[in-house]
Structures are given as C-alpha cells and as structure tokens.
Amino acid sequence: MVKPVIFSVDDEPHVLGAIARDLQARYRADFRIVRAGSGAEALEAAGELKRRGTPVALFLVDQRMPGMSGTEFLAEAIALYPDAKRVLLTAYADTDAAIASINTIDLDYYLLKPWDPPEERLYPVLDELLGDWRANVPVGYDGIRVAGTLWSPRTHAVKDFLARGQIPYQWLDIEKDAQAAAMVDASSGDQVRLPVVFFPDGTMLADPPLPELAEKVGLRAPAQQPFYDLIVVGAGPAGLAAGVYGASEGLRTVVIEREVAGGQAGTSSRIENYLGFPNGISGADLARRAATQAKRLGAELMAAAEVTAVRVDGDYKIVTLDDGTELRCHALVLATGVKVRTLDVPGAERLQGASLYYGAAASEAAAYADKHVMVVGGANSAGQGAMFLSRYAAQVDILVRGDSLAHSMSRYLIDQIEAEPNITVRPYTRVTELIGDDHLERVKVCDVRTEGETEEPADAMFVFIGAVPCTGIVDGLVQTLDGFVLTGQDLMKEGRRPQGWTPARDPFLLETSVPGIFAAGDVRHDVMRRVASAVGEGAVAVSLVHKYLQTV
C-alpha cells in the first residue's frame, strides 16, 4: 500500500531542512515526507502526486514566501487534495492572516516559529490532525465493502452505523456497478438479501443485524467484569465525559451505548462553538477522541449493547442487557439522551432511510451531488446539516415554520448560511406530504399563514425537528416530567423530599428520585441542550457519585 504524504513547503532551505528532519524522525514509518522550496514548485509536485494516485495527508506550509504565500498555495492545493489537513507556519506578524485563513481556506492549525522542542510544539498538533485524517480518509482500499442499493432503508442503516462508528468502508451500488452486482449474486445464491457486507478476511454478512455487525468489526465486546463502581448508560457527550472522569478518578467504570459513541452530537456534521476547536469539529470526531480518552484512562466502552431494564436491589443498581447479561454497580449515571422526533406526514414512514433521513446522514450526502435537497428544522443541528449538505447538493432549502432562523439558531451559523449561494431559507413553511414510491420525488408544503399548499420536486429530505427523551428503561423507577428525568431541586415539592426517598439528606444536584442513580445531559428535564453543558454535567455527575459513595 502506498504511504500517504506529509508535504512541507518553505522558501528558506535551512528551515525546510529542519522541518523535514523533525518530520522524518517522527513519521517516516507511516508517511512519506515530501518537501518543496516554493509554492509553484509544490503545486507542480502535488499535481504529479495526484496523477499517480498518491494520497496527501497534510500540508505544512510557511506563510511568508515570495511569489506565492502559504495561504495562496493552500487555496490551490486543496482543489487537488480537499481532505488533506492544512497547517501554516507563521511568525508573530502573520497571525492575523493565519486566523483569517481559518475561514477562507478552512485552515486546521497554525504554528508559530520556532517550533522547538518539536515534542511539545509540533508533534502533538500533527499527531491529532493525522489521527483525524486517518479516521476519515481511507487510504488505498482493502477494507470493508458494503453492496446494496441507494434507496434501501436497510442499506442506509448499515452504512450509517459504520459511518458513525468511523469504520471505513467502500460503498458499492449494485444498480450502477455490474462487478458489484456479480459479487452479490455469487455470494448470496438464489435469495439475495441486501445489503451484503464483504470483509477483508473473505467472509461476508447479508443484511446483518447491527449487533452482529458491531461484533464483527470490533465495536462490541462483552463486559469484562460483573460488578462496577459506576455504570454509565449512553455514550453521548455527557456519558463519555462521565466515563473519562470516572475512570480517571479510580472508579471501575463501564459506558454502555446501544448504537455507537456520540449520541445526537455524533450525528452533527460540524460543531463550531465548542471550546478549544477554532475551526470546528465534527460530532463523530469529537466522539472518537472522547471514547479513545475514556478507554486510555481505563473505562470500558460497550458499543451496540442495549440496556433493556434497570432495577434496584438495596444499595445496588442492576442493568440488564439485550443479550440477557446482568451487570451490577454501586452508582448509575443515565446519559441516554434523546432520539430524533420523526416527521408525521403521509409518505414519511415509507421513505425513511430511502431519501428521507433524520440528521445530517453523512453516509448519504455524497449521493445527492448536484441534486435538490430540503432540510426541515431551524435549530443549530439543522443549520450545521444544511452547511454540510451544501458542499454536495446544487440547492439546499431550509424549511422553517417561523418567520426566520433568528429565534432558534446561533448567529454565527446564520451568517454562514446567508453567505452560501446554494442555500435558501424558506420561512412560514411546513411539510404536509412526501410523494414517491421507492424514493422522494415531490414534496407538498404549506404556507402556515395562508394554509395554501404547493407541490414541488425534491430529491431528498433531511429532518431536524427536535427529539424525545430515551427514558423507557427507567419508566416507573425514577420520576420524570414530560418524559425527561427530574433531578436535584426539581424533585423537591414545597421543600419535601420525593416519595420513597430514604437518605437523611436532600437529593444531590444531578441525582434522581432513586439514591445513587444520576442523570446528565439531554435526558434531564429543563436543561440547556448544548455539547458543552452535557460534557460539564457528565463531569459533575462523577463528583456527585463520589459524594454518594461516601454515604453508603
């Protein structure tokens, strides 16, 4: 397999030599180091690499070069390698240009010269960027292949599961690829069940249940022990934060997730207002980093393992998994989050997963290149989804019932949407029907002011219309309001503790009506539904778990 390239560009020979030396010392086992002394020379070399099919993982470019600045070079180089990571080397005088280029060329990072010692100022940055690149850009291809049809809900479910789990795969559309169709026919015999997932070891699975697929690709593993200090149910931002803090503070911790790590945030194509990521980060990348961090610190992470019931036996909490396994613990954190609210109009159920998608559906966006798609919803998730889809679709319409996006979306996101020529915001609009047999062809929309209906063509619809809490496993066990879990002072009525409460203290801030069961993140009643607040609650929940454990 061809090694991907790290490409360094600097017009000063001694600086270029020093960069190459440091890059070789760290990365030569996995990457080929290529260097050039000017932007023009580098563009010519990048073009030749492209013609040979050699991947470029990262450009490390000096900003101040005669003839062509680093920013100008990157603006042209990313046309050849749009997925390559981009880093500028700058002096203090160039930092304004570097910051501006975050918006103009999607710069990933800028480093101030000198970068010595590289162990502190160079390698940590590049390690993280190259890790992201590896996770999102498969090199060569000798991995998993998914063969199916575009407008198949089961095929979409498999592709979406792999994409959100950041398991690289190659998509084979058997309606367009005769060789792929022949592979499916040869492997499935007379009864073809789609999708068919082919693995590098020569095995295959036809229309696999997601737990079976998760086990095959290494996402699902059994619990390592029957008893834990802390069990966290849900691996969204709140659950992953609880896993990180629980493990780092010495608690035997397991995080159980019914799908893949990330939760609702994991479906976000881009989160731009989370502290510490000036260029934004996708929800999947944030989840991957957090999951890796939790496991490094000693937490277990069980993906594609669903908790089906929770019960209490004295001071112990017991969770039952979908395979019948029971795990016991001292303390439990509910971070089950929410699930998407579905569109309740004629045609929606029939087309779900077949051109009607909930969330950004990153696995499907490229299939609608140069098409007309609609986004339903006016919150940040809808705006992020629209921005992501605008990279592919010819036209993106955002349908909102209100008069504008201003009441429900962050200003920075509205500004980005207004600057995109292929995004149109359509206020006072609701969907009344989806029309099409096996895929979306037309949409009926209604003007909420006049109730007048129109019918218009569309190729796909991506829906972001809110969510409902995932609290079924604790129905009748903890107190809820409108399905959301009540905690802390919300449980106190006229200063009285909740019914059945036995400790000689009030419930802790994030504690439910059952002592030792805590809730964090979107599953809680009346919380700010932002990634940062969910992460904070996950961390705070662990500090309260420690307090609880001191009382039992």
Side-chain angles (χ1 to χ4, degrees):
M1 187 178 293
V2 176
K3 282 186 180 180
V5 165
I6 297 176
F7 206 135
S8 60
V9 188
D10 199 299
D11 64 305
E12 298 182 44
H14 70 282
V15 176
L16 187 59
I19 295 171
R21 179 199 65 221
D22 288 341
L23 294 177
Q24 290 282 3
R26 181 79 162 196
Y27 302 110
R28 63 185 172 191
D30 299 311
F31 295 89
R32 177 184 167 197
I33 311 303
V34 174
R35 49 182 167 173
S38 69
E41 178 188 339
L43 277 179
E44 184 178 349
E48 183 59 30
L49 290 171
K50 185 70 174 179
R51 285 188 289 274
R52 294 178 183 176
T54 303
V56 173
L58 182 141
F59 289 105
L60 179 59
V61 185
D62 184 44
Q63 167 62 9
R64 189 174 295 185
M65 296 187 294
M68 179 183 289
S69 69
T71 304
E72 291 168 339
F73 164 76
L74 288 171
E76 297 195 37
I78 59 178
L80 296 171
Y81 289 101
D83 295 317
K85 297 298 181 181
R86 304 141 203 178
V87 180
L88 276 180
L89 282 173
T90 66
Y92 280 108
D94 302 322
T95 53
D96 287 346
I99 292 171
S101 65
I102 291 175
N103 292 323
T104 58
I105 61 168
D106 217 13
L107 186 72
D108 292 292
Y109 213 92
Y110 67 90
L111 292 167
L112 293 175
K113 298 180 184 178
W115 60 89
D116 289 328
E119 291 78 10
E120 295 180 11
R121 299 186 180 181
L122 180 66
Y123 297 151
V125 171
L126 300 192
D127 286 350
E128 199 165 88
L129 293 175
L130 292 169
D132 286 348
W133 183 86
R134 281 189 180 279
N136 292 287
V137 184
V139 179
Y141 199 78
D142 58 359
I144 297 170
R145 291 172 169 81
V146 178
T149 57
L150 176 60
W151 293 309
S152 160
R154 280 298 304 154
T155 300
H156 166 67
V158 167
K159 291 164 62 182
D160 189 57
F161 180 80
L162 292 173
R164 288 189 296 114
Q166 297 205 325
I167 303 296
Y169 69 91
Q170 184 181 47
W171 161 236
L172 304 174
D173 188 341
I174 64 171
E175 295 180 333
K176 297 179 180 179
D177 187 332
Q179 186 177 0
M183 286 173 57
V184 169
D185 290 340
S187 63
S188 303
D190 296 332
Q191 294 185 335
V192 177
R193 293 185 296 123
L194 297 176
V196 179
V197 185
F198 298 94
F199 297 94
D201 62 4
T203 60
M204 50 79 64
L205 292 173
D207 190 19
L210 295 185
E212 183 180 357
L213 178 61
E215 187 172 352
K216 178 69 176 178
V217 300
L219 285 178
R220 177 167 179 156
Q224 299 301 301
Q225 47 193 311
F227 188 89
Y228 295 87
D229 297 315
L230 171 63
I231 292 178
V232 181
V233 185
L240 289 170
V244 166
Y245 281 88
S248 68
E249 294 175 14
L251 298 177
R252 291 169 296 174
T253 302
V254 62
V255 182
I256 306 171
E257 168 57 47
R258 64 188 177 92
E259 294 183 349
V260 295
Q264 285 295 299
T267 67
S268 176
S269 57
R270 195 178 184 99
I271 300 169
E272 295 198 68
N273 57 357
Y274 186 60
L275 186 68
F277 295 91
N279 196 36
I281 186 172
S282 75
D285 281 342
L286 185 62
R288 175 181 58 81
R289 295 182 188 206
T292 300
Q293 186 177 19
K295 288 187 283 189
R296 183 182 68 81
L297 292 169
E300 288 181 44
L301 179 59
M302 298 178 64
E306 185 172 4
V307 174
T308 58
V310 177
R311 71 180 193 275
V312 176
D313 181 6
D315 288 333
Y316 300 111
K317 288 76 188 171
I318 303 165
V319 302
T320 304
L321 304 183
D322 51 4
D323 63 359
T325 302
E326 289 192 345
L327 303 178
R328 302 167 72 91
C329 63
H330 286 302
L332 182 73
V333 171
L334 295 170
T336 47
V338 294
K339 58 185 177 181
V340 294
R341 191 182 302 277
T342 56
L343 197 63
D344 186 18
V345 300
E349 185 176 354
R350 181 179 70 256
L351 297 178
Q352 183 173 340
S355 68
L356 171 65
Y357 308 104
Y358 292 95
S363 61
E364 307 294 349
Y368 297 98
D370 302 321
K371 303 289 187 180
H372 178 195
V373 304
M374 293 182 172
V375 170
V376 181
N380 276 10
S381 57
Q384 291 156 353
M387 289 296 297
F388 174 69
L389 292 164
S390 70
R391 303 179 196 173
Y392 303 92
Q395 175 63 32
V396 179
D397 290 353
I398 302 178
L399 312 184
V400 290
R401 295 192 181 202
D403 59 352
S404 72
L405 299 174
H407 306 296
S408 54
M409 190 177 293
S410 297
R411 185 68 241 177
Y412 79 90
L413 201 47
I414 295 173
D415 292 342
Q416 290 180 4
I417 288 169
E418 290 175 347
E420 283 296 327
N422 62 336
I423 299 180
T424 300
V425 179
R426 298 173 55 179
Y428 303 114
T429 304
R430 64 182 174 90
V431 177
T432 56
E433 186 177 356
L434 305 183
I435 303 167
D437 294 327
D438 60 354
H439 66 281
L440 184 64
E441 297 176 5
R442 297 182 308 284
V443 177
K444 280 187 180 179
V445 297
C446 173
D447 187 315
V448 298
R449 298 165 297 183
T450 65
E451 293 299 315
E453 274 193 334
T454 58
E455 187 177 308
E456 52 194 83
D459 297 295
M461 180 172 286
F462 298 80
V463 180
F464 307 80
I465 54 172
V468 293
C470 298
T471 52
I473 60 172
V474 290
D475 277 349
L477 179 63
V478 304
Q479 289 187 22
T480 61
L481 180 62
D482 298 327
F484 293 93
V485 177
L486 294 172
T487 59
Q489 289 301 305
D490 288 340
L491 292 165
M492 306 289 287
K493 294 182 179 179
E494 299 178 354
R496 296 194 301 271
R497 294 166 183 164
Q499 185 176 0
W501 185 262
T502 57
R505 59 172 177 81
D506 292 346
F508 293 131
L509 177 65
L510 301 180
E511 197 169 19
T512 71
S513 57
V514 176
I517 297 182
F518 299 81
D522 289 357
V523 74
R524 288 183 60 234
H525 174 68
D526 195 26
V527 297
M528 178 181 293
R529 288 177 172 82
R530 290 287 186 269
V531 173
S533 59
V535 169
E537 287 189 8
V540 170
V542 172
S543 70
L544 298 174
V545 165
H546 280 291
K547 285 187 176 181
Y548 166 76
L549 293 176
Q550 293 169 3
T551 68
V552 296

